Amino acid sequence: MMKKNSMLSLLLIISLIGIGSSGYLTIHHFQPNPGFCDINTIFSCSTVNTSKYAELFHIPIALFGVLWFLILGILSMLLFYRKVPEKYLLFWTILGMISVFYFISAEFMIGVICLWCTLVHILVILTGGLAIILYRKKI
C-alpha cells in the first residue's frame, strides 16, 4: 500500500503531466495544425479540438483543463502540508470526472477520438481513484 506522501507526490506528477497535455491542447486549439495525433478520421485531435464541444463561453475546454490540473497540484501540496482536508481533493476530482464523462460522450457524438484528450481523461480518472483512497483510508 502506498503511503500518503507517495500518493500526493504522484498526484503532483499527474498534475504536471496534465498541465502539459492540456496546455498543448490549448495551443493546438488556437493554432490547429495536423500533428501526430491526427492519424485518420477516427483518431484526430484537430477534429475534436475544433468542434462545437471544444469551447465553453468562447474559452477552450483545454484551458479549463490547465486550470483544473493547476488546482490539483495546489491541493496536492496543501494536503502534503496538511493545510486542507482530503474531502477538498475528493470534491475536486469528482468535478473533474463528471467533466471527463461529458467530454467522452462529446467525442462519441462527434465520432472521433482525440488521443491527447484521452490521456487527460485517464489522468483525471486515475486522480479520482487516488483521491477516493486518500479520503477513505485517511492514510
Side-chain angles (χ1 to χ4, degrees), residues 48-116:
V48 173
N49 212 9
T50 56
S51 74
K52 66 180 182 179
Y53 302 102
E55 290 185 353
L56 181 64
F57 305 117
H58 303 291
I59 300 170
I61 292 297
L63 190 56
F64 289 110
V66 171
L67 178 63
W68 190 88
F69 282 109
L70 180 64
I71 292 172
L72 172 67
I74 292 168
L75 281 172
S76 300
M77 288 188 288
L78 290 173
L79 272 165
F80 187 82
Y81 293 108
R82 304 188 194 307
K83 301 290 183 186
V84 295
E86 288 86 357
K87 67 182 176 183
Y88 290 5
L89 176 68
L90 182 63
F91 174 75
W92 190 245
T93 58
I94 288 171
L95 285 178
M97 288 191 294
I98 290 169
S99 299
V100 161
F101 291 121
Y102 168 76
F103 297 128
I104 290 171
S105 67
E107 286 183 359
F108 280 107
M109 287 185 269
I110 299 167
V112 178
I113 297 170
C114 167
L115 295 176
W116 277 105

Side-chain angles (χ1 to χ4, degrees), residues 2-5 7-8 11 76 79 86-87 89 127-139:
M2 250 185 181
K3 296 192 180 225
K4 182 176 184 175
N5 289 348
M7 292 180 81
L8 293 172
L11 284 171
S76 300
L79 272 165
E86 288 86 357
K87 67 182 176 183
L89 176 68
T127 299
L130 292 171
I132 290 168
I133 292 168
L134 281 168
Y135 180 75
R136 293 193 75 204
K137 301 289 182 185
K138 303 227 182 196
I139 57 174

Side-chain angles (χ1 to χ4, degrees), residues 14-24 65-67 69-71 73 123:
I14 289 171
S15 71
L16 293 173
I17 295 169
I19 289 168
S21 300
S22 296
Y24 170 79
V66 171
L67 178 63
F69 282 109
L70 180 64
I71 292 172
L123 293 174

Side-chain angles (χ1 to χ4, degrees), residues 22-35:
S22 296
Y24 170 79
L25 287 166
T26 301
I27 292 167
H28 193 265
H29 177 82
F30 289 113
Q31 301 171 354
N33 57 358

